[in-house]
Amino acid sequence: MSIVKFNPYSNLTNEELIDFAIEEIDKLKILSYGENIEEYEEGANLVNQLIREIKRRNLSLKITQLRSRILL
């Protein structure tokens, strides 16, 4: 029996995927200040999935754009 993986991000365009990933990174930054570890871990897993999809499509996030969003 084979396992079929469902990719919920396959219907997003490249631009939508990158925008969504950056939004989720922003949310993860906010969660990092909180005390709910489970919610943070769920957010981190989602961000990891999005980054894997970005890499699968051979896209890249602009490092300067990410730095400004993560560090501010």
Side-chain angles (χ1 to χ4, degrees):
M1 181 177 194
S2 64
I3 297 174
V4 177
K5 292 184 179 181
F6 175 67
N7 185 352
Y9 313 111
S10 61
N11 61 343
L12 296 176
T13 65
N14 293 343
E15 293 81 21
E16 290 172 336
L17 178 64
I18 290 174
D19 288 341
F20 185 59
I22 290 172
E23 288 173 16
E24 290 302 317
I25 290 169
D26 288 341
K27 290 178 188 176
L28 187 62
K29 181 178 123 181
I30 293 168
L31 289 174
S32 71
Y33 298 126
E35 296 189 16
N36 190 342
I37 294 173
E38 290 177 10
E39 193 174 350
Y40 176 81
E41 287 176 351
E42 289 175 13
N45 286 334
L46 175 60
V47 168
N48 287 335
Q49 289 175 1
L50 291 168
I51 291 172
R52 279 193 295 271
E53 178 65 18
I54 288 168
K55 294 299 179 186
R56 187 186 69 76
R57 295 185 189 189
N58 291 322
L59 302 174
S60 64
L61 297 171
K62 295 178 184 171
I63 196 72
T64 55
Q65 186 179 26
L66 284 177
R67 279 188 191 145
S68 66
R69 287 178 169 248
I70 292 172
L71 298 176
L72 292 179

